[in-house]
Amino acid sequence: MEAHVNGSLINEPQPELIGGPAMPPERHQAMPPQDLKKLSKGFPRESIRIRGVKSKASRRVLVVGSASALSLFAIYEMLQVFSVAAVTPLEYLVLLLFAINFCWIALAFSGGVAGVITLFARRFGKHDNSTAITLTDKVAVLMPTYNESPDRVFSAVETMAMRLVQYTRDTEEHKQFSWFILSDTTDPDIALAEEQAFWLLRKRVAGKAQVYYRRRRKNTARKSGNVADFCTRWAAHYESMLVLDADSLMQSHCILELARRMQADPDAGLIQTIPYLVSGTTVLARLQQFAARFYGPVIGTGLAWWVQKEGNFWGHNAIIRVKAFVECAGLPTLKGKPPFGGHILSHDFVEAALIRRAGWSVKIAADLPGSFEECPPSIIDMAIRDRRWCQGNLQHTRILPTKGLHWISRLHLVTGIMSYLSSPFWLMLILSGLLLALQAHYIRPEYFTDQFSLFPKWPVMDSERALRLFYITMGILFAPKIFGSLLLLTDKNYCRILGGRIRVMGSIVLEIIVSALIAPIMMFIHCGAVFSILSGKDSGWAPQRRDDGSLPWKDVLYRHRWHMVLGVLMTYFAYLDSWTLLAWLSPALLGLWIAVPLSMLTASQTFGKWVKSKKLLATPEEIEPPELILAAAEARKAYEHSLQQIWALPDLLKQPALMQLHMAIMDKLPTHIPGGQIEALDAIARVKVQEAQSQNSLLSVLDNKERSYVLGNPLLLEVMQRLPKEHSDDDVISIC
């Protein structure tokens, strides 16, 4: 029995897939949803190590204490700015908004100080980041995917798996790893392309690595539900699981070291790496890469230094102990409808908090390189991603009261919430300051009020103190960039790789300028997202573009129309006060004025290639790419070539070999509906198939969702196979 695909032969006379079943035997275990109002029995658990799961309080005192002291000083200074005369209600509002925003940046500043000191100390000292044990734990490496390009996903898994085989050739520790592509894909064409890519993957690894594939029939609870489905059905075979994302890459030493650290520490529940961003082609992607590579470690290392065993989880590129995750991190469904109810979108922060609540440690491996991911290519793609993240983070307002959470875990949740609420607060602060200036300019003082006073109520400010406080605030706001720049410019090796200090300084200046132009646009985007969520709109779940971020100029104009309008309005109101105020606000307004060309230029691959040719915004991983990235790019070409013509549902129906292969790969969930519950999609698809007179007539009336459902149902596929291919003009599909 033979099937022709891309001119090659697939000889599959038996229904078994190359290399065995698509998934290992199931081993069921429960993953109960956690009660947010009370701790489960036996939690928090007793630690195994003598020292227990404890962190040093002195580090929290230094970072949080210094941030608090700095905030109190700044708030006092702002109060003194207004206290030259009687403080007006509008000034009190400005003071409140300033206090909220300053406390937010002060904590990042204090953590950044800890980070830069730690990184300088690590540079001039000796630091061994390896664990000298032999891995004996079984590890599942999970690659969840949702309507992603199969060539990207499967080539990445192949590259990481095969390089790990080479890296551990002497110890054979690669045999402890199993690789899983966990698909939630809903597009039937992509689903079949994934099956074709999986067949190719199995063929290319030739049994040297254990690779598996499963596509869920129904993607309940999105990524968290995808991982939970794996945990309840297969994770009992493994001690830990390394969770990746569809754009993740990890070097072998990083994968192996994470697994060894998890095995060496019986109290560790989760270990999170700090990924570097790679493979960006547009200016915006390169901008994010540069910032994450040189400024990100300052924040990440500082955070790891002071939170210690109360770290956080960012959803991927982290290893998790299966026992801790299954017993302690089952997510409840929040009461009510989205956006605040339903399944938890930003599940990672919550899972980390629940694991720590149960007595396991959650660490950030800031010293471990070799973890990579990609980033959005355009402002519009960032906006789409941030809309979903914003909804998930604002859901955390309902998680904050959870009983038993560590106060650092609550602080992580607040940090996630403030990462989006800070934009409305900054906007309100700017508008309040603008109103204050207009009030002083246009509204005359009221000398004679109802209450007796020797002096009029006039908004007077200490301008010298205000200017000094402005410089302090800007210094604290830009401190992570300053610290990262110092680290970079004092590193001779990096400066040499990146083309010299002059070129590096050019990259720093370019990053600061473009980031400053984009910042007000992102502020309004986040404000719009917050308003949309508060008005009750759900974000949905759209796949992310990862390569080309370009769009037609009409679409870009439509997306940024309100940003330009708001920029013009703010310009007008600043002009009503004075040219001086307009000059002060112009750095924030310029990005809004040029939002459309800025968005198009930063999303252009052509302009991105030009910037790359000048070695601007370059990173060491771009100038001297790790072998892993080069190997993944080369492997991807092979998958792209193989997937030029993908299998389709008609091919399965007319070629028994392909149908056998599809049946072998298909998820082996039972076909009956538990409790007799039938959803609309199930009912419609079943009726269309059962009432069809021919394959052609059926294919013409099935939409994408129905095709996707049919592809996962062997009984319906068998019915379709028995239908004649052609149909007469009188054939109709009746739906009862």
Side-chain angles (χ1 to χ4, degrees):
M1 188 179 298
E2 296 180 342
H4 291 261
V5 179
N6 294 336
S8 62
L9 292 177
I10 301 176
N11 299 307
E12 290 292 334
Q14 73 287 343
E16 291 292 326
L17 180 66
I18 296 173
M23 290 293 286
E26 294 189 21
R27 186 175 171 185
H28 291 269
Q29 62 181 341
M31 186 174 175
Q34 297 300 301
D35 192 333
L36 303 183
K37 295 182 179 179
K38 63 180 181 180
L39 280 168
S40 301
K41 186 177 180 180
F43 290 163
R45 55 180 283 280
E46 291 291 332
S47 58
I48 296 175
R49 289 190 166 186
I50 297 175
R51 294 179 61 185
V53 185
K54 294 183 179 180
S55 302
K56 296 179 180 179
S58 57
R59 296 188 180 185
R60 277 78 187 278
V61 172
L62 281 173
V63 173
V64 180
S66 61
S68 301
L70 192 60
S71 298
L72 289 174
F73 165 76
I75 294 168
Y76 172 79
E77 285 293 295
M78 178 60 86
L79 182 60
Q80 295 306 303
V81 168
F82 294 141
S83 294
V84 176
V87 182
T88 66
L90 186 55
E91 289 174 334
Y92 274 121
L93 176 61
V94 171
L95 178 63
L96 174 63
L97 294 170
F98 173 81
I100 294 172
N101 288 318
F102 195 93
C103 290
W104 162 248
I105 63 174
L107 183 60
F109 169 78
S110 298
V113 171
V116 72
I117 293 173
T118 302
L119 289 171
F120 268 121
R122 191 177 295 166
R123 178 186 294 180
F124 298 110
K126 292 183 178 181
H127 176 72
D128 186 8
N129 63 356
S130 61
T131 304
I133 63 171
T134 300
L135 182 67
T136 57
D137 282 358
K138 294 287 186 181
V139 183
V141 185
L142 312 184
M143 176 78 86
T145 178
Y146 171 72
N147 291 331
E148 298 278 354
S149 298
D151 52 272
R152 175 196 302 276
V153 174
F154 287 82
S155 61
V157 170
E158 178 195 326
T159 304
M160 289 186 285
M162 295 307 292
R163 293 191 68 81
L164 185 62
V165 171
Q166 297 173 6
Y167 186 75
T168 62
R169 185 182 297 112
D170 295 334
T171 62
E172 295 191 335
E173 288 170 283
H174 64 273
K175 293 182 178 179
Q176 305 304 114
F177 292 85
S178 298
W179 301 78
F180 294 86
I181 296 100
L182 303 178
S183 174
D184 256 357
T185 292
T186 56
D187 187 308
D189 294 328
I190 297 178
L192 287 172
E194 288 176 354
E195 293 185 4
Q196 187 176 341
F198 177 55
W199 177 85
L200 182 63
L201 172 63
R202 276 281 180 88
K203 188 177 180 180
R204 287 170 64 90
V205 301
K208 296 177 182 178
Q210 302 176 63
V211 292
Y212 300 100
Y213 169 82
R214 184 272 287 129
R215 182 176 78 92
R216 279 203 298 172
R217 299 182 183 185
K218 185 179 179 183
N219 46 16
T220 305
R222 305 174 184 181
K223 182 178 178 179
S224 62
N226 194 0
V227 175
D229 176 75
F230 171 83
C231 288
T232 57
R233 299 170 65 191
W234 293 284
H237 292 291
Y238 307 94
E239 279 74 35
S240 57
M241 55 185 185
L242 177 59
V243 181
L244 305 175
D245 212 349
D247 59 354
S248 296
L249 281 173
M250 265 193 175
Q251 290 182 327
S252 298
H253 71 85
C254 183
I255 294 172
L256 189 60
E257 179 61 21
L258 279 175
R260 286 174 173 175
R261 290 186 186 187
M262 181 62 72
Q263 178 178 309
D265 184 358
D267 289 318
L270 188 151
I271 305 175
Q272 171 72 62
T273 64
I274 300 179
Y276 293 156
L277 301 179
V278 294
S279 304
T281 56
T282 66
V283 171
L284 184 73
R286 294 173 57 76
L287 194 81
Q288 295 172 82
Q289 282 180 192
F290 185 85
R293 185 62 176 83
F294 298 115
Y295 311 150
V298 173
I299 298 297
T301 302
L303 183 67
W305 184 82
W306 75 270
V307 300
Q308 301 166 86
K309 297 183 180 181
E310 286 76 40
N312 207 355
F313 178 35
W314 301 319
H316 54 85
N317 292 35
I319 193 165
I320 308 172
R321 189 177 300 277
V322 169
K323 178 180 175 62
F325 193 77
V326 169
E327 293 182 356
C328 317
L331 297 178
T333 300
L334 301 178
K335 292 182 179 180
K337 296 180 180 180
F340 287 97
H343 298 294
I344 298 173
L345 290 185
S346 294
H347 54 90
D348 38 16
F349 280 40
V350 181
E351 289 161 346
L354 293 176
I355 289 173
R356 185 64 189 92
R357 178 177 80 154
W360 301 92
S361 67
V362 178
K363 303 177 183 177
I364 300 174
D367 63 328
L368 194 56
S371 177
F372 306 108
E373 64 172 327
E374 297 179 19
C375 54
S378 70
I379 294 175
I380 292 173
D381 288 293
M382 282 182 63
I384 295 171
R385 182 199 65 180
D386 283 8
R387 174 60 179 83
R388 185 176 69 252
W389 286 6
C390 180
Q391 179 173 326
N393 286 14
L394 292 188
Q395 271 186 323
H396 292 168
T397 54
R398 299 188 61 184
I399 308 297
L400 279 173
T402 298
K403 184 177 179 59
L405 292 186
H406 195 283
W407 72 271
I408 295 292
S409 297
R410 296 187 202 275
L411 187 58
H412 288 314
L413 295 174
V414 171
T415 300
I417 294 168
M418 278 298 297
S419 63
Y420 292 99
L421 284 187
S422 61
S423 289
F425 284 132
W426 278 111
L427 179 60
M428 286 190 288
L429 179 61
I430 293 171
L431 294 178
S432 298
L434 188 57
L435 287 174
L436 200 61
L438 291 173
Q439 180 191 53
H441 188 85
Y442 285 99
I443 301 177
R444 295 191 301 176
E446 189 176 351
Y447 285 94
F448 304 103
T449 62
D450 295 336
Q451 297 179 348
F452 174 76
S453 175
L454 294 176
F455 303 98
K457 288 189 175 181
W458 176 264
V460 181
M461 291 183 287
D462 186 336
S463 57
E464 184 178 342
R465 192 189 294 263
L467 191 60
R468 183 170 66 244
L469 185 57
F470 171 79
Y471 292 141
I472 292 173
T473 304
M474 290 298 101
I476 289 175
L477 183 63
F478 285 96
K481 293 182 185 289
I482 297 171
F483 295 153
S485 299
L486 287 174
L487 281 164
L488 175 57
L489 291 171
T490 55
D491 192 312
K492 294 181 180 179
N493 185 46
Y494 277 165
C495 287
R496 177 188 59 80
I497 293 173
L498 300 179
R501 285 190 172 87
I502 300 299
R503 200 178 298 272
V504 168
M505 291 179 66
S507 294
I508 292 171
V509 171
L510 179 61
E511 191 278 333
I512 291 173
I513 292 173
V514 179
S515 294
L517 292 173
I518 292 174
I521 300 174
M522 294 307 302
M523 178 182 68
F524 277 111
I525 287 173
H526 289 170
C527 288
V530 171
F531 177 79
S532 173
I533 292 164
L534 293 179
S535 64
K537 295 180 181 178
D538 187 18
S539 68
W541 190 23
Q544 183 175 310
R545 296 195 304 170
R546 302 190 187 276
D547 297 313
D548 185 11
S550 61
L551 284 173
W553 71 268
K554 289 183 179 179
D555 293 346
V556 179
L557 179 62
Y558 178 79
R559 296 270 189 168
H560 293 295
R561 64 195 186 283
W562 288 114
H563 303 145
M564 294 187 297
V565 170
L566 291 169
V568 171
L569 288 175
M570 292 178 68
T571 302
Y572 175 70
F573 287 120
Y575 167 75
L576 289 178
D577 179 83
S578 66
W579 284 104
T580 303
L581 180 60
L582 180 57
W584 272 95
L585 286 178
S586 59
L589 297 174
L590 180 59
L592 298 173
W593 299 338
I594 61 171
V596 170
L598 179 65
S599 183
M600 295 192 70
L601 199 62
T602 54
S604 167
Q605 287 189 328
T606 302
F607 187 58
K609 289 178 181 178
W610 182 84
V611 172
K612 181 179 180 179
S613 68
K614 302 301 180 182
K615 285 190 175 182
L616 292 172
L617 301 176
T619 62
E621 290 74 29
E622 178 181 273
I623 303 298
E624 298 179 358
E627 292 184 6
L628 171 74
I629 296 176
L630 295 176
E634 193 63 30
R636 187 175 181 182
K637 293 178 183 177
Y639 283 88
E640 287 176 340
H641 176 74
S642 179
L643 298 177
Q644 287 177 357
Q645 294 179 333
I646 62 172
W647 305 339
L649 183 52
D651 297 322
L652 266 62
L653 293 173
K654 68 183 179 182
Q655 299 187 34
L658 291 185
M659 183 60 78
Q660 283 185 332
L661 186 59
H662 172 70
M663 292 288 192
I665 295 175
M666 187 187 301
D667 191 11
K668 300 303 184 292
L669 278 175
T671 56
H672 70 278
I673 307 297
Q677 297 180 357
I678 300 178
E679 295 187 358
L681 176 62
D682 306 335
I684 293 173
R686 288 172 184 269
V687 170
K688 284 186 177 182
V689 172
Q690 291 167 1
E691 296 296 321
Q693 302 299 313
S694 68
Q695 293 178 3
N696 285 351
S697 62
L698 176 59
L699 292 172
S700 67
V701 297
L702 288 174
D703 63 23
N704 261 10
K705 289 184 179 179
E706 292 158 359
R707 286 189 182 219
S708 179
Y709 173 80
V710 169
L711 279 174
N713 192 304
L715 296 179
L716 295 185
L717 285 174
E718 290 174 3
V719 173
M720 290 183 69
Q721 278 186 298
R722 292 195 294 267
L723 292 172
K725 180 180 178 181
E726 302 294 339
H727 66 286
S728 66
D729 295 337
D730 296 331
D731 287 341
V732 294
I733 298 177
S734 60
I735 302 177
C736 302

